[in-house]
Amino acid sequence: HVLSHEGLEVAGTRLSLRSPRHTHALETGHTTWSASVALAKYLEANPWVVRGKRVLELGAGTGCAGIAAALLGAEEVLLTDLEYAQEALSANILHNLPPPR
């Protein structure tokens, strides 16, 4: 079972950010935080910040900001989080981004 964060669009792509339905209260990596949505929209308005650059997102959670950076032309994006968040993070990357070239 998953919860979805639908409706966020970045660079013409509607993101579908999923997280497990049943999580422990301390598993904050399963939340799409408002700050990550705000950062994604900031990057969309200012794509020069990431275009052609290498991006590292620490504590990526559902991957919202890092996925946005990739969609906006970052040369390389590395998303990290704790082990418990890896499965959902990987699924979000696969679901929202084209396969790497």
Side-chain angles (χ1 to χ4, degrees):
H1 299 285
V2 296
L3 297 175
S4 295
H5 181 82
E6 301 289 342
L8 174 63
E9 191 170 302
V10 175
T13 299
R14 181 169 290 244
L15 301 185
S16 177
L17 301 171
R18 299 168 163 266
S19 60
R21 182 177 300 252
H22 302 289
T23 63
H24 186 277
L26 297 177
E27 293 179 345
T28 57
H30 288 151
T31 301
T32 301
W33 296 96
S34 297
S36 67
V37 173
L39 179 55
K41 295 311 280 180
Y42 172 83
L43 294 175
E44 183 177 43
N46 301 280
W48 59 269
V49 172
V50 293
R51 187 174 295 130
K53 297 183 180 153
R54 297 170 66 196
V55 175
L56 170 63
E57 185 179 6
L58 302 173
T62 61
C64 181
I67 290 169
L71 290 170
L72 294 164
E75 179 180 323
E76 181 179 353
V77 180
L78 177 62
L79 304 177
T80 67
D81 210 311
L82 297 175
E83 187 174 342
Y84 76 86
Q86 292 296 313
E87 185 176 345
L89 177 57
S90 294
N92 285 336
I93 292 167
L94 291 172
H95 184 76
N96 289 286
L97 293 175
R101 302 181 246 140

